[in-house]
């Protein structure tokens, strides 16, 4: 079970990124950067639902694929392709990781994971988090933020399309410098999603909720 919990920590600390962003120095944003942040906030806050595919790159280089469903606020579902036995579901309050091989489910409060920021009802890049850097690279915008309350937790970098401002990927670098990458693929937005996709998993041996 320790192996599962370690993977759970990596996934709920998930993200995309470039290795050159591991070290980020806080600096004042320019007016152009501030305007870009404002534009991104407007686009994200109009997003209600999304679905598509994802590719996850773990800190050890392992790669997994699967389906992703998002219903803001608070709800997300990662369905991993076989042979992975994992499924991750947030019902808006708890994030559950199911291990189908072990027939078990492990819970963590959504508010204790980086997913809580991405799934918030209203995303602000200047309230609960501090925007540390905005970089422009080709057709991408890379926005790096850090938790104001726990700055030692690491950084979250979100990668957006420079034209549409759509989120393409995200990355978290934890306090130990470990990265997990999630890249979004074949995404569709604004389509109705069945509530059962985000229901708390049943039929599995439940582990204690961990803060």
């Amino acid at each position: 079970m320790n192996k599962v919990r370690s993977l759970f920590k990596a996934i709920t600390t998930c993200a995309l990124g470039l290795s050159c962003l591991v070290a980020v120095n806080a600096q004042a944003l320019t007016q152009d950067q501030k305007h870009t942040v404002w534009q991104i906030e407007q686009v994200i806050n109009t997003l209600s639902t999304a679905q598509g595919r994802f590719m996850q790159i773990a800190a050890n280089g392992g790669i997994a694929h699967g389906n992703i469903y998002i219903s803001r606020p608070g709800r997300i579902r990662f369905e991993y392709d076989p042979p992975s036995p994992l499924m991750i579901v947030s019902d808006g309050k708890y994030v559950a990781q199911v291990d189908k091989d072990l027939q078990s489910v492990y819970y963590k409060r959504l508010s204790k994971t980086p997913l809580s920021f991405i799934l918030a009802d209203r995303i602000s890049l200047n309230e609960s988090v501090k925007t540390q850097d905005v970089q422009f690279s080709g057709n991408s915008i890379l926005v790096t933020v850090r938790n104001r309350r726990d700055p030692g937790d690491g950084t979250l970098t979100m990668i957006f399309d420079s034209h549409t401002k759509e989120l393409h990927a995200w990355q978290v670098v934890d306090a130990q410098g470990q990265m997990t990458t999630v890249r979004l693929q074949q995404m569709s937005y604004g389509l109705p999603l069945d509530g059962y996709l985000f229901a708390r998993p049943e039929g599995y041996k439940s582990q204690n909720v961990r803060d």
Side-chain angles (χ1 to χ4, degrees), residues 137-172:
S137 177
N139 293 323
S140 298
I141 302 170
L142 293 78
V143 179
T144 299
V145 300
R146 186 184 295 273
N147 191 324
R148 287 185 182 275
R149 291 176 296 179
D150 298 297
D153 281 353
T155 59
L156 167 67
T157 297
M158 295 166 286
I159 289 78
F160 301 90
D161 182 275
S162 60
H163 301 292
T164 65
K165 305 301 187 294
E166 289 180 354
L167 178 65
H168 282 182
W170 66 84
Q171 167 193 19
V172 168

Side-chain angles (χ1 to χ4, degrees), residues 31-68:
Q31 288 302 314
D32 283 347
Q33 288 174 321
K34 290 179 180 178
H35 182 66
T36 298
V37 168
W38 178 84
Q39 289 179 314
I40 288 171
E41 288 176 341
Q42 306 314 301
V43 172
I44 293 178
N45 286 322
T46 63
L47 173 66
S48 57
T49 64
Q51 65 182 79
R53 297 281 295 170
F54 71 88
M55 178 175 70
Q56 176 182 300
I57 306 174
N60 64 3
I63 296 176
H65 298 267
N67 296 317
I68 184 172

